[in-house]
Amino acid sequence: MNGLFKRLCSSVVAALAALALAGCAGMESAPSSIAASPQVKLDRVEVASYFPYAPAPARVPLILAFVFNVSNPNDHAVTLEELRFAYSFEVKGQFFTLNSPAVYDQQSIPARATNQLRVVSVLDSAIVPATLAVTQGFKMQELGVKPPDLVKTWWETIGDFGYAIRVSEGVATFTAGRASTLVTFQDTFRKN
């Protein structure tokens, strides 16, 4: 019995040592840098859900989906940790910022591959006019436009994408092993 116990202990110790060495080997092969910056490119904007516009005091949601292509030019996988951006609607050649979504879901992008990421954002027709008046009131006054009129126009013409939508202030955080990098992006979506 003593010999069987010694052989069992020896086998367990050998297995644990092999696991420890495998773990250390895996740590050594983890990338220590991200040689080429991943890229984030707006592919399209979709109307995820639409409700006909109604004047205040009605609250009409406008639900948009922003679809991004996230490309990894590296020879190893990278992980998208976080993605943030602001988006604006156009009127008279000017853009008005309406919302700033953020995504914290991790997504692994294989080596030399492109994934798609969909970010859904909800606007409220009762909230947007107040946001515009507070944050961009002077700009609207210069253009001679009023927040309720803009909201009505945007809600009624979104189905045909009668105006451009700009993504700006985009920042994405990527990691690979111990390495980390920030990537900035911006783009404008126009119906072709």
Side-chain angles (χ1 to χ4, degrees):
M1 178 117 167
N2 211 6
L4 177 64
F5 180 72
K6 284 183 180 179
R7 277 186 269 145
L8 181 61
C9 285
S10 295
S11 296
V12 168
V13 168
L16 289 174
L19 283 172
L21 287 174
C24 290
M27 286 174 56
E28 290 174 357
S29 66
S32 59
S33 69
I34 300 176
S37 291
Q39 298 175 343
V40 178
K41 177 88 174 131
L42 179 64
D43 183 61
R44 65 187 180 276
V45 178
E46 300 174 349
V47 179
S49 188
Y50 178 77
F51 302 89
Y53 176 79
R59 298 182 74 164
V60 182
L62 176 57
I63 305 168
L64 300 175
F66 294 81
V67 180
F68 295 94
N69 290 328
V70 184
S71 300
N72 175 15
N74 293 283
D75 292 328
H76 53 79
V78 298
T79 301
L80 174 63
E81 300 282 345
E82 175 184 349
L83 182 133
R84 294 174 279 125
F85 63 96
Y87 64 88
S88 310
F89 288 175
E90 180 186 29
V91 65
K92 296 186 178 184
Q94 299 290 316
F95 286 88
F96 292 89
T97 303
L98 301 177
N99 204 352
S100 299
V103 176
Y104 300 101
D105 296 334
Q106 293 182 343
Q107 185 180 102
S108 180
I109 300 101
R112 303 202 178 279
T114 299
N115 288 7
Q116 280 200 325
L117 175 68
R118 177 181 305 271
V119 180
V120 176
S121 179
V122 179
L123 294 173
D124 181 326
S125 67
I127 302 298
V128 170
T131 302
L132 288 170
V134 169
T135 63
Q136 300 165 86
F138 290 118
K139 188 175 175 183
M140 293 176 27
Q141 191 174 22
E142 288 174 5
L143 290 176
V145 293
K146 296 182 180 174
D149 298 337
L150 284 180
V151 170
K152 182 178 189 302
T153 299
W154 287 333
W155 260 243
E156 289 179 345
T157 60
I158 189 67
D160 296 323
F161 289 99
Y163 48 88
I165 299 173
R166 176 177 290 165
V167 167
S168 61
E169 303 171 27
V171 178
T173 304
F174 292 91
T175 60
R178 295 173 301 234
S180 177
T181 189
L182 290 176
V183 173
T184 60
F185 60 94
Q186 63 180 17
D187 210 342
T188 301
F189 177 77
R190 297 179 191 277
K191 184 178 178 182
N192 296 331

